[in-house]
Amino acid sequence: MQFRNSRARYGAVSASLHWLVALAVFTLFGLGFYMVDLTYYDQWYRLAPHIHRSIGILLFAVVTLRLLWRFSGTVPSPLPAHSRFEVLSAHLAHWLLYLLMLVAMVSGYLISTADGSGVRVFDWFEVPSLTGRIERMEDVAGDVHYWVTWALVGLGVLHGLAAVKHHLVDRDDTLRRMLPVRLKRS
């Protein structure tokens, strides 16, 4: 597989970053869903949020890298069989996914730094608070984070179902050209 994108398919970097981001988003959602019901005496009470915040900060760096990579090169052309509606809705969905991810990560950061403290990332480094202590920021950012992550996962599931539909029903190369390895046509 080629390193960079071509007009026909995504390259290894784009495909790998795509699947890494997808895995991280769904993992963070599952961990976040799990950890909100933890009690003070649960062994995961402090560890789960630390892992969640650390992966979230790293994901922000990966998404930033992914956007820079996307803007620095070619993007594959839509497949000829795709309707104008499919092309436009795919573009809209992709940009909405990016927007939702960024809002989710920024709101998560604001929740974590509302008291003025920084975010420790796996004890490797600390991302400082940029806002300092702001009254009620944790509550407002928490509401935004909650709804945006549900919207992100919902749209992510729809995105995945659309790819599966293209693969199984339309029998086109939409999914194949985003895989980091080549699958033979059946």
Side-chain angles (χ1 to χ4, degrees):
M1 170 178 240
Q2 75 261 13
F3 185 69
R4 297 185 71 76
N5 298 344
S6 69
R7 296 306 287 165
R9 67 177 282 119
Y10 291 94
V13 172
S14 292
S16 297
L17 289 173
H18 171 272
W19 293 106
L20 177 63
V21 168
L23 176 65
V25 165
F26 283 96
T27 299
L28 284 170
F29 183 79
L31 181 57
F33 191 77
Y34 167 75
M35 72 185 193
V36 295
D37 290 328
L38 294 175
T39 63
Y40 181 80
Y41 297 104
D42 193 297
Q43 67 184 28
W44 282 88
Y45 181 77
R46 283 187 176 55
L47 184 58
H50 174 70
I51 292 169
H52 187 85
R53 285 187 296 266
S54 295
I55 293 173
I57 294 289
L58 295 175
L59 179 60
F60 184 81
V62 171
V63 169
T64 301
L65 175 66
R66 184 163 183 225
L67 283 167
L68 290 171
W69 184 259
R70 186 185 191 293
F71 288 124
S72 71
T74 304
V75 176
S77 302
L79 294 174
H82 290 175
S83 70
R84 182 161 169 73
F85 171 76
E86 287 174 312
V87 172
L88 289 175
S89 60
H91 283 297
L92 176 64
H94 285 124
W95 288 113
L96 190 53
L97 283 166
Y98 282 122
L99 177 65
L100 291 170
M101 279 189 290
L102 292 171
V103 171
M105 291 180 287
V106 168
S107 62
Y109 168 80
L110 292 174
I111 294 166
S112 300
T113 61
D115 64 355
S117 63
V119 177
R120 295 277 319 146
V121 178
F122 293 121
D123 295 326
W124 298 337
F125 60 93
E126 182 170 317
V127 178
S129 172
L130 298 176
T131 60
R133 183 179 222 109
I134 296 179
E135 182 110 8
R136 291 200 17 82
M137 182 170 66
E138 185 175 12
D139 297 331
V140 173
D143 288 342
V144 170
H145 192 72
Y146 177 84
W147 291 109
V148 165
T149 55
W150 275 101
L152 174 60
V153 166
L155 185 57
V157 167
L158 213 61
H159 177 67
L161 290 173
V164 170
K165 176 253 185 201
H166 277 286
H167 189 72
L168 297 177
V169 176
D170 300 341
R171 302 184 74 71
D172 67 24
D173 287 335
T174 300
L175 178 61
R176 257 185 226 93
R177 64 191 201 158
M178 181 45 91
L179 295 175
V181 294
R182 287 197 189 254
L183 289 182
K184 294 189 184 208
R185 296 188 69 123
S186 48

